[in-house]
Amino acid sequence: MDESEFDAFYTASFARLTGQLHALIGNRDEAQECVQEAFVRAWQHRRVLERADHPEAWVRTTAYRLAVSRWRRVRLSRRPADRAVSPAAWTDAVDESRVALIAALRQLPEAQRQALVLHHLCDLPVQAVAREVGVPEGTIKARLSRGRAALAALLDPTEPSPASAPSTPGASHA
């Protein structure tokens, strides 16, 4: 993969991967940083990426692992997540339905959230989600079913909103 091919891959994938990781971890700035770092690593491993069946999945998995690793470091050290010296960049107006969806996703167990995001937001078939996560297809189907039911309850305007704390990238439930 030469520089122009990699640039095209980056341009085509960055926004989509950032949106997907944002849905997974609930923090847009952190998602952008992790995706950028994942692309740096992808450039360093571009020979592996050339042979990969799904290079975007490789970058997404790397970005997610970076996010989990950062979360763990922050949690263990009790330091704030963002230690950057520059202020947050200006972003466009936020779609309220997307904010509600991400807030609801954050209340789901990590495994359900991951299955829902990969299947519905990344448009991966169940088989690809199972392969990327490393579990049987039946497990992904169960996580999708449970996750959809939980999301329906969380997003139903007639139901009172549960007063639960958002889950974190390090928590894991089936």
Side-chain angles (χ1 to χ4, degrees):
M1 183 179 290
D2 66 16
E3 191 173 334
S4 64
E5 291 171 327
F6 189 84
D7 286 346
F9 171 56
Y10 177 88
T11 301
S13 304
F14 180 79
R16 181 174 44 252
L17 288 169
T18 299
Q20 294 165 358
L21 192 60
H22 177 215
L24 279 169
I25 67 174
N27 181 322
R28 186 157 192 78
D29 291 335
E30 189 75 14
Q32 286 177 329
E33 288 179 25
C34 290
V35 171
Q36 287 171 349
E37 177 64 25
F39 270 107
V40 168
R41 292 182 184 195
W43 174 253
Q44 294 167 345
H45 296 94
R46 63 190 174 276
R47 304 273 185 270
V48 173
L49 224 56
E50 279 180 328
R51 295 185 304 267
D53 291 334
H54 306 286
E56 192 169 302
W58 188 95
V59 175
R60 181 178 35 254
T61 300
T62 301
Y64 181 71
R65 289 177 179 162
L66 286 166
V68 170
S69 180
R70 285 178 174 209
W71 174 82
R72 286 181 180 146
R73 268 196 310 271
V74 167
R75 182 173 164 107
L76 291 174
S77 67
R78 305 257 188 230
R79 284 181 269 183
D82 184 12
R83 292 177 271 163
V85 284
S86 62
W90 174 260
T91 57
D92 294 331
V94 179
D95 177 8
E96 288 184 32
S97 62
R98 184 157 178 89
V99 170
L101 174 63
I102 290 172
L105 282 168
R106 290 183 72 190
Q107 294 180 49
L108 297 179
E110 176 189 6
Q112 290 176 12
R113 180 174 61 241
Q114 187 178 34
L116 287 166
V117 169
L118 291 174
H119 184 65
H120 292 290
L121 297 181
C122 300
D123 293 324
L124 295 179
V126 171
Q127 179 183 14
V129 175
R131 185 176 53 247
E132 190 167 324
V133 175
V135 299
E137 289 182 41
T139 303
I140 294 301
K141 290 176 182 177
R143 289 176 182 175
L144 287 169
S145 177
R146 290 182 191 123
R148 287 183 198 117
L151 268 182
L154 289 168
L155 295 173
D156 185 357
T158 61
E159 292 290 321
S161 177
S164 64
S167 61
T168 55
S172 178
H173 299 82

